[in-house]
Amino acid sequence: MNNASKDQEIIAAAIAINAPFVGRLRSRTLVSSRWFALIGQFITVLVVHFGFNFELPLLACLLTIAANITLNIIITVGLPPQRLVRQWEAAAQLTFDVLQLALLLYLTGGIANPFCLLLIAPATIAASTLQPRWTLSIVGVTILSVGVLALYSYPLPWNPPGGFMLPALYQFAMAFAIIIGLLFTASYAWRVSLEESQLADALIATQEVLAREQRLAALGGLAAAAAHELGTPLATIQVTAKEMLRSLPPKSLDLEDAELILSQAQRCREILRNLTNQKEISESVTETLPFGQLLEEVAERHPDLGHKAVLFDIQGPEGKGELMVIRKPAILYGLGNMLENAIQYANQAVTVSAKWDERSVRVTISDDGPGFDEVVLDRLGEPYVTTSLQGPINTNSREGMGLGFFIAKTLLERSGAQVSFWNNTGASRGAVVQTVWPFSAIAAKS
């Protein structure tokens, strides 16, 4: 299994862990919000009835408020406050809030009551925290409640009683405005919540990939240290076995055992020699290395090039010697991901150009393929944005680069770089990815 397949599995597992099997609302959040609303309802009813001396069905209003208070007490006593409520539980509570508020508005003027705008609140909460099916059910109940309030309700509390009546056309216009506001607010909250959720999933995947790179580097260091430490005792065993072979008579029973010890010691030394000579392990414990060697390591992570070539063009200021840089897993993975995509969609060659001066270090990866799709070029690098050319999927199509590009871009930016994408113009077509670091962000301290 190659590195790309492993990264795909890591990403899928990370997103699956963050999948919304349960709600995103804690029990105490809904309870505290409901207490705040109930206190406001209670104070408003008392002020309207006793402060302004408006006639309203006080007992029915208080019983409606008491029903919601009872629900809140039951939830407070029966459920732990830190518990994440399930999707259907949150939907049921928010639906009850809509119906309770609608009944209170029915008793106090219906659609003519200025507080009818509060019907938008439960649906907005649902849109930002629940799955679409539950949100649509709450929106449907709210729209139905607004329609009923536009047709039937007690008169608005006023002096004299019944002295304030809105025209029927205006009431229907109010209902229509509330419904439009409800749909707009809920859709806006849903869109913002969806983007936030996708960004959270992608960041989790980014952290998992970076953690994997760091674990691999640590494993390489452990392997190199083990090879170094085990070399001396194995050499001692080998020397001792040779001395035993010299001293034992030809037909001794211990001769076969001594030969076995010697062969196994030689085998262990060969394994350790191969382990030490592996470039990936020996370099993984290097904190600083030449800039050109860093780019070569990035290219060596993708040995399956087919008939395509990777060309390097590394330039620095004259008389400055070789640039020593800090070896960071984030840089290796980020540049490796960009290079992998360039190799995948190139026709014949990929060019890696590197330039630096006293202020910045610049790496430009360009290919001779079809380039990025212009439709999504401005959004490339955002999570779950894929680029795909029109027509059948073939070697000239770019797809599946949404999350991968986002991870690579995020890791490079965390290392201090700025990443930009564009297409070459004119005869030399192809995609270009440029990464620019401030000199101090990547250069090793001398």
Side-chain angles (χ1 to χ4, degrees):
M1 182 181 294
N2 56 27
N3 290 336
S5 300
K6 292 180 180 178
D7 292 338
Q8 294 280 349
E9 291 184 0
I10 292 172
I11 291 169
I15 294 176
I17 292 174
N18 202 40
F21 295 112
V22 296
R24 297 164 55 189
L25 286 172
R26 298 190 184 276
S27 178
R28 68 177 182 184
T29 302
L30 289 172
V31 168
S32 59
S33 300
R34 192 173 295 112
W35 281 125
F36 182 77
L38 289 172
I39 292 173
Q41 292 175 4
F42 184 73
I43 293 175
T44 302
V45 167
L46 294 182
V47 169
V48 169
H49 186 75
F50 296 106
F52 294 100
N53 294 319
F54 290 163
E55 291 295 331
L56 74 161
L58 181 61
L59 180 60
C61 291
L62 294 179
L63 289 176
T64 302
I65 297 174
N68 216 346
I69 293 176
T70 303
L71 172 66
N72 235 22
I73 293 175
I74 292 174
I75 295 174
T76 302
V77 175
L79 297 177
Q82 295 290 346
R83 175 179 176 268
L84 287 172
V85 296
R86 296 182 177 89
Q87 295 273 330
W88 69 267
E89 293 176 349
Q93 292 187 40
L94 292 172
T95 301
F96 183 86
D97 292 338
V98 171
L99 295 176
Q100 187 266 349
L101 180 58
L103 178 58
L104 192 60
L105 291 171
Y106 171 81
L107 297 172
T108 57
I111 206 69
N113 191 321
F115 290 100
C116 62
L117 291 174
L118 295 176
L119 285 169
I120 296 177
T124 304
I125 295 174
S128 59
T129 57
L130 303 182
Q131 294 175 348
R133 57 173 179 154
W134 299 114
T135 301
L136 291 176
S137 65
I138 295 173
V139 169
V141 171
T142 306
I143 292 176
L144 182 62
S145 300
V146 172
V148 171
L149 291 175
L151 297 173
Y152 309 101
S153 69
Y154 279 62
L156 184 71
W158 205 257
N159 278 331
F164 184 86
M165 294 293 295
L166 290 173
L169 180 61
Y170 186 84
Q171 293 193 46
F172 283 110
M174 282 287 297
F176 185 73
I178 292 174
I179 292 174
I180 294 299
L182 168 69
L183 295 176
F184 174 78
T185 306
S187 62
Y188 184 81
W190 174 79
R191 180 62 183 172
V192 171
S193 175
L194 179 63
E195 292 186 358
E196 183 272 336
S197 179
Q198 291 179 341
L199 184 62
D201 289 341
L203 287 174
I204 289 175
T206 302
Q207 293 169 353
E208 289 293 329
V209 170
L210 182 58
R212 173 178 173 270
E213 291 292 314
Q214 292 172 338
R215 286 196 298 269
L216 288 176
L219 183 60
L222 181 62
H228 175 73
E229 295 296 331
L230 291 175
T232 300
L234 283 174
T236 303
I237 294 173
Q238 189 173 358
V239 171
T240 304
K242 289 180 179 180
E243 293 297 327
M244 291 177 61
L245 288 174
R246 293 193 187 98
S247 60
L248 290 173
K251 296 183 179 180
S252 173
L253 296 177
D254 296 330
L255 185 62
E256 184 178 350
D257 292 338
E259 291 176 346
L260 179 62
I261 293 173
L262 178 59
S263 64
Q264 294 302 311
Q266 290 174 341
R267 183 184 176 190
C268 290
R269 287 182 62 82
E270 185 66 26
I271 292 174
L272 291 178
R273 186 181 299 111
N274 294 335
L275 189 64
T276 305
N277 290 336
Q278 287 184 9
K279 193 170 186 179
E280 180 180 353
I281 293 177
S282 62
E283 287 185 357
S284 66
V285 296
T286 305
E287 295 182 357
T288 62
L289 72 169
F291 189 40
Q293 189 175 341
L294 176 72
L295 297 179
E296 290 177 3
E297 181 178 349
V298 171
E300 287 173 358
R301 294 190 169 202
H302 310 286
D304 187 15
L305 303 179
H307 63 283
K308 305 169 187 177
V310 177
L311 308 177
F312 290 92
D313 179 18
I314 304 175
Q315 301 177 12
E318 295 184 3
K320 291 295 184 180
E322 204 166 22
L323 174 65
M324 299 297 294
V325 297
I326 304 172
R327 187 188 187 281
K328 296 181 179 179
I331 296 177
L332 291 173
Y333 181 87
L335 291 179
N337 184 280
M338 303 298 184
L339 181 60
E340 180 183 9
N341 281 288
I343 294 172
Q344 183 178 358
Y345 299 106
N347 291 326
Q348 294 181 345
V350 175
T351 302
V352 180
S353 301
K355 297 181 180 180
W356 72 89
D357 53 31
E358 296 179 352
R359 294 180 299 176
S360 63
V361 178
R362 186 184 310 268
V363 175
T364 305
I365 301 175
S366 58
D367 61 57
D368 58 355
F372 298 119
D373 188 353
E374 295 290 347
V375 176
V376 297
L377 184 57
D378 291 339
R379 297 181 57 206
L380 188 60
E382 296 179 11
Y384 302 99
V385 174
T386 61
T387 62
S388 176
L389 297 178
Q390 300 297 328
I393 298 176
N394 51 45
T395 56
N396 291 327
S397 67
R398 289 181 177 271
E399 67 168 14
M401 296 190 301
L403 190 56
F405 259 46
F406 169 81
I407 292 176
K409 182 173 179 288
T410 300
L411 291 176
L412 291 173
E413 288 176 344
R414 285 189 175 184
S415 70
Q418 291 184 349
V419 184
S420 54
F421 312 93
W422 69 85
N423 287 326
N424 273 325
T425 57
S428 58
R429 297 187 58 193
V432 180
V433 179
Q434 187 174 84
T435 308
V436 182
W437 290 270
F439 186 84
S440 58
I442 189 174
K445 296 181 179 179
S446 56

